[in-house]
Amino acid sequence: MSEQNAGLKTAPMQLQVIQERQLSQHQCWSCGDMRAEHFCAACGHMQPAEPTDFFSFFGLPRKLEVDEAALEKEFYQLSRKLHPDLYSRASAREQHWSLEKTSQLNDAFRTLKDPITRTEYLLNLEGIQLEEQSKVATEQARAFGVEKKQTVPAELLEEAFELNMMLEEAKAGGVDDDLRAQLVATRDSLTARLGRMQDELRAAWKKWDNGNRAAIDEMVDVLNRRSYLSNLVRDLQEVLS
Amino acid sequence: MAYSDKVLDHYTNPRNVGTMDKNAGEVGTGLVGAPECGDVMKLQIRVNPETKIIEDAKFKTFGCGSAIASSSLATEWVKGKTVEEALAIKNTDIVKELSLPPVKIHCSVLAEDAIRAAISDWKKKQA
């Protein structure tokens, strides 16, 4: 450390700035050792909070097959080690890092533990903005004077519409035994379909994890279809409870 | 997030809720969805064959207050317009009228899609 500092004194200003930046990125602020993700491997000091994506925060590659049990274990371990209470007597910047990292940790865990939000997050990282795509498609349809192509099959929209109508009638008119049986059967078949979509999604994950970018389109397609069914299952559940 | 007064007005007192016979020659039906939130919107128009003026419009939307308000407003706006005039309605006009916040812009997009889909369905029937 002292040797490096001696070298820096004679270095031109600009080089010094660059070297300091490299130091902050790759070395422990406290002991100068090569830093690990959150704590220095040599001296154990917490490292600065930095903007990072949620996969990197957990030291994970940008892949979708995630060991969720291991992730949860890592989450609890890190929450204990980063907890602001542990830093109440540390320097102001360490207190700040602890708060910052704890908040990143919670966001990262909440997003990555769930298969759907994890997939959506990865798509976002890869520059896929579903809402933006939809807006652009509408603008193109307007410019060319054509109808916008819907992202899901027309039959699925018809089905979602009809089921919503049925649900609305059930809410207004009450649910007798026959209707209840029908609603339960509908819920169960929709839940089974959601399960099959989960399988489709997992198949696309495998492709992505093996470096096949075409998997992105498949994931977008599954997520688009999925939202209608998951809304219906949620609403059916509400009427049945 | 609070809804604007205009959204609340359309939401609590939606205009032109209902359905028309989708097989009728003068009726155009648009059924569209927003995969971001799973909302579904149906908008129908009845066009006068002589004047090409949209004489009636109905909608039925399953979704949030902003989606309902956007489609309610869309039916109000298309009524009395010719088909070509109705095609000029932009989602940004709806955003402005209802003071929709950025997170609800997709609701206005959906309403524009629905108008365009209904008109396209009607045009197919005229061919």
Side-chain angles (χ1 to χ4, degrees), chain A residues 139 142, chain B residues 77 89-97 105 108-109 112:
Chain A
E139 282 158 10
R142 188 195 300 145
Chain B
W77 276 359
I89 295 171
K90 286 190 216 153
N91 82 290
T92 44
D93 303 332
I94 296 168
V95 170
K96 217 179 276 170
E97 174 68 17
I105 285 175
S108 69
V109 170
E112 184 187 330

Side-chain angles (χ1 to χ4, degrees), chain B residues 34-63:
Chain B
E36 307 91 319
C37 50
D39 288 359
V40 199
M41 181 181 290
K42 183 187 260 186
L43 190 146
Q44 295 182 297
I45 51 170
R46 172 175 287 117
V47 184
N48 182 313
E50 309 283 307
T51 60
K52 311 286 187 245
I53 285 174
I54 298 170
E55 293 187 329
D56 198 11
K58 296 275 181 218
F59 85 94
K60 182 73 196 164
T61 293
F62 297 103

Side-chain angles (χ1 to χ4, degrees), chain A residues 156-172 183 186 190 227-236 238-239, chain B residues 31-33 37-42 60-64:
Chain A
L156 178 60
L157 288 177
E158 292 280 355
E159 187 188 7
F161 190 86
E162 292 310 322
L163 282 172
N164 269 304
M165 288 294 273
M166 183 170 101
L167 271 171
E168 195 173 80
E169 279 161 31
K171 275 183 204 161
L183 293 176
T186 308
L190 289 177
S227 61
Y228 296 98
L229 297 194
S230 64
N231 276 11
L232 284 167
V233 169
R234 181 198 65 204
D235 295 344
L236 275 162
E238 198 186 300
V239 169
Chain B
L31 178 61
V32 296
C37 50
D39 288 359
V40 199
M41 181 181 290
K42 183 187 260 186
K60 182 73 196 164
T61 293
F62 297 103
C64 67

Side-chain angles (χ1 to χ4, degrees), chain B residues 2-21:
Chain B
Y3 284 129
S4 73
D5 289 345
K6 280 186 178 155
V7 170
L8 280 176
D9 178 36
H10 278 279
Y11 178 65
T12 50
N13 177 27
R15 306 356 166 216
N16 311 310
V17 174
T19 53
M20 298 175 183
D21 176 12

Side-chain angles (χ1 to χ4, degrees), chain A:
Chain A
M1 187 78 179
S2 58
E3 259 178 43
Q4 274 180 357
N5 280 342
L8 285 176
K9 267 176 205 154
T10 53
M13 196 62 166
Q14 205 152 14
L15 183 63
Q16 183 175 344
V17 170
I18 291 168
Q19 284 180 344
E20 277 177 356
R21 197 177 298 145
Q22 281 174 347
L23 180 83
S24 78
Q25 276 176 3
H26 298 296
Q27 291 181 289
C28 173
W29 60 273
S30 178
C31 73
D33 200 79
M34 290 305 287
R35 57 175 292 207
E37 193 58 36
H38 297 293
F39 299 94
C40 174
C43 72
H45 273 94
M46 178 175 52
Q47 297 303 298
E50 280 161 2
T52 171
D53 75 77
F54 296 157
F55 288 98
S56 310
F57 187 90
F58 279 108
L60 292 169
R62 219 177 260 192
K63 291 188 173 184
L64 287 162
E65 295 264 21
V66 167
D67 182 340
E68 286 165 19
L71 182 76
E72 185 168 349
K73 212 173 135 196
E74 177 73 2
F75 165 72
Y76 284 117
Q77 268 174 10
L78 277 174
S79 3
R80 271 195 302 274
K81 286 161 77 178
L82 294 169
H83 201 286
D85 284 356
L86 296 178
Y87 295 91
S88 55
R89 290 207 257 179
S91 67
R93 61 178 188 170
E94 284 174 280
Q95 286 182 19
H96 172 74
W97 293 341
S98 147
L99 279 171
E100 194 66 20
K101 276 179 180 286
T102 298
S103 139
Q104 283 178 329
L105 173 70
N106 290 331
D107 290 344
F109 179 61
R110 203 180 316 120
T111 304
L112 296 187
K113 72 174 174 184
D114 177 77
I116 302 302
T117 54
R118 179 162 79 236
T119 310
E120 287 170 341
Y121 180 72
L122 179 108
L123 291 173
N124 250 312
L125 284 181
E126 295 299 322
I128 309 291
Q129 307 278 357
L130 294 179
E131 193 168 333
E132 191 56 32
Q133 281 184 348
S134 173
K135 218 166 78 187
V136 169
T138 295
E139 282 158 10
Q140 281 172 349
R142 188 195 300 145
F144 292 106
V146 295
E147 181 185 356
K148 178 162 114 179
K149 195 177 174 301
Q150 291 291 302
T151 49
V152 298
E155 303 85 69
L156 178 60
L157 288 177
E158 292 280 355
E159 187 188 7
F161 190 86
E162 292 310 322
L163 282 172
N164 269 304
M165 288 294 273
M166 183 170 101
L167 271 171
E168 195 173 80
E169 279 161 31
K171 275 183 204 161
V175 181
D176 61 18
D177 286 351
D178 281 354
L179 183 55
R180 173 168 289 272
Q182 197 189 338
L183 293 176
V184 167
T186 308
R187 180 198 60 195
D188 293 348
S189 94
L190 289 177
T191 307
R193 275 164 69 189
L194 279 175
R196 289 197 290 278
M197 285 187 181
Q198 197 99 320
D199 295 341
E200 275 184 72
L201 196 57
R202 279 178 203 282
W205 285 359
K206 276 217 176 76
K207 287 189 193 169
W208 168 260
D209 291 355
N210 287 323
N212 183 350
R213 282 193 70 83
I216 285 187
D217 293 337
E218 292 171 32
M219 290 189 267
V220 167
D221 177 50
V222 176
L223 291 180
N224 278 340
R225 285 181 283 131
R226 192 187 172 281
S227 61
Y228 296 98
L229 297 194
S230 64
N231 276 11
L232 284 167
V233 169
R234 181 198 65 204
D235 295 344
L236 275 162
Q237 203 55 44
E238 198 186 300
V239 169
L240 286 169
S241 64

